[in-house]
Amino acid sequence: MFIASLRYGRGTSSRIIICHHQVAWRASSTSPFFCVSRLLQTQTSIAADIVPFRKQLKDEAKRRKHIARANVVGTSKSGIDGAALATWDLTVGIEIHAQLNTDRKLFSGKFPSRSRRATSELTTSKVHRLLPNFQKSTLIPAIRAALALECRIYSQSQFDRKHYFYADQPSGYQITQYYHPFATNGRILLRDHDGIALEDGKSVEIGIQQVQLEQDTAKTMLQPPSEAMLDFNRVSQPLIEIITMPQIHHPQTAAACVKKILALLQAVNAVTTGMELGGLRADVNVSVRRKSEGRHPLGQRTEIKNLSSIMAIEDAIIAERNRQISVLDSGGIIEGETRGWTLGASDTVKLRGKEGEVDYRYMPDPDLGPLLISNELVAEVAESLPQSPDQMIEDLVSNFGLSIKDAKTLVELDHGMRLDYFDLVCTEFVALRNRVEGLNKIDGVEEKRRSVNIANWVLHEMGGLLNASEATFSADRVPAEDLAYIMLMLDMERITGRTAKQLLAKKFHGDARGVETIIKDENLQLVHLSEEDYVTMASKILDDNPVMVAQIKDKGQLSKLGFFMGQMMRKGGGQVVAQRAESTLKTLLGLTKS
């Protein structure tokens, strides 16, 4: 078996040593890792307590977050004087690499080892010189992605070899689709609520140049100061590369574009994970030119590789834009380069000169025939596609009465699980209400009001508990029927809002009793106060705070009303209904319209 040793020297270029040796094993895992080290490894195990370099970088980035971002942007978000920045045009194109949601590698029947299971044979790394055998099942999620991006899918496409030598690619070339990709000419529409730059107005359309199938490389895990490890389990996992047109002109819009593409891919079940787990990576191509140059060709572009978060995309583009403007302002020229960006860094860093088509020596792969896709297959996949995120948001706004902000949050949170939970709670609420005798049938307006209230509890009340306990969302924490029952009791004024929060917290933290049982056991059912009780309580609170009463009556400081509301809720011991308390206070303060 081969073990690769990559030696780093200060001020010198790296060199690769290929040695015949045993595979090095991480002590806590059965997954084979090739060890890349300053010295040739003679051990057969690696310490299990090595902290991944990405983790170290994230920890360091947290520590110096405010300083680092200040270095990137100066005293303003742009880092350059606004007037000076207005004289330049920024152009950005994005290349997104996304792992497909499939149980096969691209050219072998091996199951992709996403959880670092043992892989006894590295069949797809060319160790055994096996010919590639395209796995048809990998095509389905790729077609889903292309359809979600409104691409034209070709009945025939072709695989090509992209030649380069690096430790993460043992075969010496990557199989991709350079000349004839399976899908082209797509588009994605970004709206203002997607987080685009204000300068882009209400919406902006970004063209998708092509979507191509390709194999992934080994995963490189740097270990400071001069060591790295290569995980070959990832080799030949199926990817799609999505290449946008260079039609993005603001860093914020570029970040919004990647975020929305990720949401689209997840919505149609095309990809495995998000950026946080390495399932999606982005490269950005950045160029600037003076606006006075008019219709002249775009400026020389540079490429920033392997950006692994939405914030990194925006910050890296800002830093590279500022660097290019500074170089051009000082009379220099921009060189075509591949550059890197590190979490928490203030500048991009040159990695190597930019390779071109000639450097990669693209050629059709002689071991693979053309990829044929029938129209019937495309139609069948299109028929099975779920709603897009935009369609979901529109449905939540028009049919459920939610705000765009809450609808978008529901769609994006927890890979859609929060939205599914909301649907379940709404369904259970209606079913429970229909079983209660004597309740009037509600109209569309009231139905929307109740949906908005449920969404508020699913997003904000549940979200507050999740944040406080640093837990991830699970529908099992508070079953949908339990939250629906709490909502029904609140809607029927059997409990107060304060009691509803107590009940939700009890269920969230594992109380196994039913909600109805908890209400009875702890005597939480609302005992309605009389109108006289509300007036007496409110009058006493107002009499005790004459200054604040004067501020409300004389100066119109209506925000002070919240203080009095809080006092009534506390003094009422869980028996005060917020709406009745507010109405009573407004009447006594003379704020009601005659």
Side-chain angles (χ1 to χ4, degrees):
M1 191 68 71
F2 286 104
I3 182 168
S5 175
L6 187 62
R7 185 172 183 176
Y8 296 86
R10 292 195 178 186
T12 61
S13 60
S14 304
R15 64 190 181 95
I16 297 177
I17 307 168
I18 304 295
C19 306
H20 194 69
H21 202 269
Q22 285 182 294
V23 173
W25 296 76
R26 185 187 288 272
S28 63
S29 172
T30 56
S31 175
F33 285 82
F34 285 118
C35 182
V36 182
S37 170
R38 177 185 291 273
L39 300 175
L40 177 64
Q41 298 291 314
T42 58
Q43 303 295 323
T44 58
S45 64
I46 299 174
D49 58 349
I50 293 177
V51 179
F53 191 42
R54 181 186 293 271
K55 173 82 163 54
Q56 296 181 36
L57 288 174
K58 286 185 176 180
D59 291 343
E60 176 64 14
K62 288 178 181 178
R63 185 184 67 81
R64 56 179 182 169
K65 177 179 177 181
H66 298 295
I67 298 175
R69 285 184 67 81
N71 288 339
V72 173
V73 301
T75 57
S76 67
K77 182 67 177 174
S78 68
I80 295 178
D81 177 77
L85 189 61
T87 64
W88 293 87
D89 279 331
L90 169 71
T91 302
V92 177
I94 306 174
E95 300 170 11
I96 297 172
H97 306 266
Q99 289 182 2
L100 293 173
N101 187 13
T102 175
D103 62 355
R104 291 291 182 270
K105 290 196 173 183
L106 192 56
F107 299 113
S108 82
K110 298 295 293 183
F111 189 92
S113 179
R114 297 189 184 102
S115 58
R116 294 192 177 180
R117 287 181 294 276
T119 300
S120 58
E121 298 180 37
L122 302 177
T123 57
T124 54
S125 66
K126 291 291 184 179
V127 171
H128 298 294
R129 306 294 180 187
L130 295 182
L131 292 176
N133 179 23
F134 178 71
Q135 300 297 299
K136 297 177 182 178
S137 62
T138 64
L139 183 60
I140 304 302
I143 293 176
R144 289 195 205 111
L147 289 172
L149 295 168
E150 301 182 32
C151 291
R152 175 188 176 187
I153 297 176
Y154 292 92
S155 58
Q156 180 172 326
S157 58
Q158 172 185 302
F159 287 105
D160 306 300
R161 289 184 180 182
K162 175 183 178 182
H163 292 86
Y164 67 93
F165 180 75
Y166 197 68
D168 65 0
Q169 186 60 272
S171 60
Y173 60 85
Q174 180 188 31
I175 301 177
T176 182
Q177 290 188 310
Y178 182 74
Y179 292 114
H180 302 288
F182 82 97
T184 64
N185 299 327
R187 72 178 192 114
I188 184 167
L189 181 64
L190 305 175
R191 295 184 170 88
D192 51 359
H193 61 254
D194 291 315
I196 62 176
L198 293 175
E199 295 87 344
D200 283 322
K202 289 292 184 180
S203 65
V204 59
E205 182 175 301
I206 308 300
I208 304 296
Q209 178 178 314
Q210 65 192 59
V211 180
Q212 60 197 44
L213 280 162
E214 63 184 28
Q215 60 180 171
D216 208 345
T217 59
K219 182 178 181 180
T220 303
M221 295 165 288
L222 299 177
Q223 300 292 336
S226 58
E227 192 171 273
M229 295 169 63
L230 294 172
D231 180 2
F232 278 81
N233 281 311
R234 200 178 74 177
V235 170
S236 200
Q237 283 196 11
L239 298 178
I240 49 170
E241 181 175 2
I242 301 167
I243 303 174
T244 75
M245 299 295 289
Q247 296 171 338
I248 303 171
H249 303 291
H250 300 95
Q252 187 176 342
T253 301
C257 181
V258 174
K259 187 175 181 180
K260 185 157 187 180
I261 288 176
L262 173 57
L264 267 175
L265 298 181
Q266 289 176 330
V268 298
N269 198 27
V271 298
T272 54
T273 60
M275 301 187 82
E276 71 282 357
L277 296 178
L280 186 143
R281 310 183 295 277
D283 306 334
V284 294
N285 293 280
V286 180
S287 70
V288 299
R289 67 176 177 185
R290 289 183 174 87
K291 289 186 176 180
S292 59
E293 294 175 354
R295 295 184 177 274
H296 284 204
L298 297 177
Q300 173 64 55
R301 68 183 174 92
T302 59
E303 183 179 28
I304 309 172
K305 299 286 286 185
N306 292 327
L307 300 173
S308 58
S309 72
I310 300 299
M311 179 180 289
I313 290 168
E314 184 173 355
D315 284 352
I317 293 172
I318 291 173
E320 179 60 15
R321 176 200 64 190
N322 294 351
R323 184 192 73 85
Q324 291 189 21
I325 290 175
S326 296
V327 169
L328 294 173
D329 273 342
S330 62
I333 60 172
I334 302 300
E335 298 181 2
E337 298 171 334
T338 298
R339 302 182 70 85
W341 168 265
T342 304
L343 288 169
S346 58
D347 296 296
T348 60
V349 179
K350 180 177 179 178
L351 300 178
R352 57 185 178 270
K354 180 63 182 170
E355 297 91 344
E357 181 178 340
V358 175
D359 300 299
Y360 285 129
R361 293 173 290 128
Y362 286 102
M363 60 171 281
D365 193 303
D367 295 331
L368 289 163
L371 176 60
L372 305 178
I373 305 174
S374 69
N375 293 332
E376 291 77 12
L377 176 61
V378 174
E380 183 178 342
V381 174
E383 186 69 23
S384 68
L385 286 183
Q387 283 185 315
S388 71
D390 279 349
Q391 291 170 331
M392 295 178 192
I393 291 171
E394 184 178 345
D395 180 52
L396 289 168
V397 172
S398 59
N399 296 329
F400 290 85
L402 272 61
S403 66
I404 289 180
K405 180 180 179 182
D406 282 350
K408 189 172 185 295
T409 304
L410 266 181
V411 169
E412 293 178 351
L413 269 180
D414 307 309
H415 306 295
M417 289 190 296
R418 197 78 69 98
L419 176 59
D420 292 339
Y421 183 71
F422 166 76
D423 284 337
L424 281 174
V425 175
C426 287
T427 302
E428 289 290 340
F429 178 87
V430 172
L432 286 171
R433 195 177 190 282
N434 288 340
R435 290 201 292 266
V436 178
E437 295 182 3
L439 292 182
N440 296 326
K441 186 177 180 179
I442 57 177
D443 59 19
V445 174
E446 280 299 303
E447 189 174 355
K448 287 184 178 181
R449 183 184 67 79
R450 286 166 172 80
S451 297
V452 170
N453 192 36
I454 291 173
N456 179 64
W457 281 74
V458 169
L459 282 175
H460 306 297
E461 301 300 338
M462 182 79 78
L465 292 169
L466 288 168
N467 291 336
S469 60
E470 297 184 349
T472 56
F473 174 78
S474 170
D476 296 331
R477 275 190 171 272
V478 181
E481 57 268 25
D482 286 343
L483 181 54
Y485 189 82
I486 294 172
M487 295 291 93
L488 181 61
M489 293 296 100
L490 184 60
D491 186 66
M492 295 172 62
E493 295 189 357
R494 301 277 182 85
I495 59 175
T496 63
R498 179 181 177 183
T499 301
K501 292 180 181 181
Q502 292 174 353
L503 291 169
L504 178 63
K506 287 179 183 293
K507 295 301 297 181
F508 181 87
H509 291 297
D511 195 320
R513 295 173 294 171
V515 176
E516 187 175 6
T517 302
I518 298 175
I519 293 174
K520 290 179 179 178
D521 289 349
E522 302 189 19
N523 196 28
L524 297 176
Q525 187 161 346
L526 174 63
V527 177
H528 287 279
L529 300 177
S530 67
E531 187 66 30
E532 184 180 351
D533 292 331
Y534 277 98
V535 172
T536 301
M537 188 186 304
S539 298
K540 177 66 168 61
I541 293 172
L542 294 175
D543 290 342
D544 290 342
N545 297 275
V547 175
M548 294 183 69
V549 170
Q551 290 172 335
I552 293 174
K553 287 185 173 182
D554 301 336
K555 298 181 180 180
Q557 296 180 7
L558 300 183
S559 60
K560 305 289 186 183
L561 192 63
F563 168 78
F564 293 119
M565 285 279 295
Q567 289 293 309
M568 288 193 68
M569 301 300 289
R570 278 189 288 274
K571 289 183 180 295
Q575 303 302 318
V576 172
V577 178
Q579 291 87 344
R580 292 189 64 185
E582 182 181 16
S583 175
T584 303
L585 286 167
K586 286 184 174 180
T587 299
L588 293 176
L589 290 168
L591 299 178
T592 55
K593 295 180 180 180
S594 56

